Amino acid sequence: MDNKAPGRSVDIELGGQEVITVDLDNLDPSPADVLDLLKEGNCKVWVWTKFAGEYWRRGFLEAAERIALTAVECKDFFRKTIFFTDLYA
């Protein structure tokens, strides 16, 4: 019997056809790949927050800040895009 605890992970859906599972216990110190996935998957705020928190807990403060700031930029962009699309519809 294996008493090893299951790993912690987050699934990110890309385009409704592909799901990428990211292992939270083995994050790369550079968040570049995670940021690409978060943007491409147009992830919800809780997913961005989860990753920022995980990087922060590991002491990768610059990476956590980069994720948080990118989340704000992306969500602000999507909100404005939706607003203007509705405005001109």
Side-chain angles (χ1 to χ4, degrees), residues 9-24:
S9 63
V10 173
D11 290 336
I12 298 176
E13 187 176 327
L14 302 176
Q17 299 175 353
E18 182 180 8
V19 175
I20 303 292
T21 300
V22 179
D23 182 0
L24 297 175

Side-chain angles (χ1 to χ4, degrees), residues 10-83:
V10 173
D11 290 336
I12 298 176
E13 187 176 327
L14 302 176
Q17 299 175 353
E18 182 180 8
V19 175
I20 303 292
T21 300
V22 179
D23 182 0
L24 297 175
D25 294 325
N26 292 307
L27 292 173
D28 186 330
S30 170
D33 290 337
V34 168
L35 284 169
D36 289 342
L37 286 172
L38 292 170
K39 288 189 253 183
E40 189 176 340
N42 191 21
C43 292
K44 295 185 184 225
V45 172
W46 76 264
V47 179
W48 289 82
T49 305
K50 179 77 171 174
F51 279 104
E54 289 295 325
Y55 274 92
W56 179 79
R57 278 191 256 317
R58 285 173 172 62
F60 303 129
L61 303 182
E62 288 181 19
E65 180 180 35
R66 187 169 162 202
I67 291 169
L69 292 174
T70 304
V72 170
E73 291 169 5
C74 287
K75 292 303 173 185
D76 190 46
F77 170 77
F78 289 123
R79 187 176 70 244
K80 286 179 181 174
T81 302
I82 291 168
F83 172 75

Side-chain angles (χ1 to χ4, degrees), residues 2-6:
D2 189 6
N3 290 331
K4 186 176 179 183

